[in-house]
Amino acid sequence: MSGNWKMFKTPAETTAFFEKFLPLAGNATHCEVVICPPFTNLAAAVDAVKGSNVQIGSQNISWAKDGAFTGEISGPMLNAAGVTHAIIGHSERRQFFGETDATVLKRTQGALEFGITPIVCVGELLADRESGNTEAVLAGQFLNGIAGLTEAQFAKIVIAYEPVWAIGTGKTATPEIAADTHRAIRALVRAKFGKDAADAVRILYGGSVKPDNVKVLMAQPEIDGSLVGGAALDPISFASIVNF
Ligand code: PGA
């Protein structure tokens, strides 16, 4: 289960979150728990989760190890700060910050090179779904992005399927829609990387996951976990998602 805090919370609010969250879900062993706060809160978050089973991720990562890349943070920097995961290619970064399938691939390769686990996001717009283009759009994102990895690299990534129309809108994909789409993504993986890779890859669902819908989503064998935005900001609601 992953939480994406987007551009919310200060370091003090981060510490306060973990004071409430850790007693409720800090020792979870039935799944991995990763929380991805803004860069300015990573140090406070890493500090807060020491000794627990919670891991900390960033919301972006550079492809380079260092250099003239104003506004970027690199894998070695994140590593040195105790960060283990990075969200890559979130739809908000694709929509507002010019992220493309090509930069998603480069960032994913960069993360892997420096020992950070990429959580690579894919997802279609409402217009894509309504025009029946969901699978074509996902195939494009996959083939122009993730498919550029080697088999060994692919084995280390997590995929997050986030239909853009379900993000922050309160409109969750039905468990059937989510499962069907996960199956389509797994078929792309099978065609490119083989059956074992397709069986092994974890595909998270994201988009308006809440304590009251997590159970029906997770009942789908195709759905391996979730990437939670709004509901991950509250310690009690995220703990109940983790412990559903
Ligand atoms: P949401 O966001 O849970 O608030 O819909 C999910 C995400 O953008 O990762």
Side-chain angles (χ1 to χ4, degrees), residues 4 6 90 92 162 166-168 207-209 227-230:
N4 170 15
K6 310 195 178 192
H90 189 278
E92 287 148 19
E162 298 206 310
I167 294 178
S208 297
V209 176
L227 179 56
V228 185

Side-chain angles (χ1 to χ4, degrees), residues 76-122:
M77 293 169 183
L78 291 167
N79 231 334
V83 171
T84 53
H85 293 66
I87 298 173
I88 298 176
H90 189 278
S91 64
E92 287 148 19
R93 298 226 43 98
R94 292 175 187 260
Q95 191 182 347
F96 302 121
F97 302 101
E99 203 75 65
T100 63
D101 297 327
T103 58
V104 167
L105 174 60
K106 280 176 78 173
R107 290 184 195 280
T108 304
Q109 290 164 330
L112 290 167
E113 187 178 342
F114 302 113
I116 301 279
T117 300
I119 302 171
V120 184
C121 302
V122 295

Side-chain angles (χ1 to χ4, degrees), residues 142-189:
F142 179 83
L143 293 171
N144 298 318
I146 297 168
L149 299 173
T150 65
E151 273 175 42
Q153 288 172 326
F154 180 80
K156 295 190 180 137
I157 77 164
V158 176
I159 297 175
Y161 166 58
E162 298 206 310
V164 179
W165 48 272
I167 294 178
T169 58
K171 281 190 207 157
T172 324
T174 63
E176 293 72 25
I177 289 180
D180 275 352
T181 317
H182 280 217
R183 245 187 303 281
I185 295 169
R186 231 178 267 281
L188 293 164
V189 173

Side-chain angles (χ1 to χ4, degrees), residues 59-84:
Q59 297 173 18
N60 193 12
I61 182 170
S62 172
W63 50 79
K65 94 175 188 310
D66 53 23
F69 296 104
T70 302
E72 292 281 302
I73 305 275
S74 75
M77 293 169 183
L78 291 167
N79 231 334
V83 171
T84 53

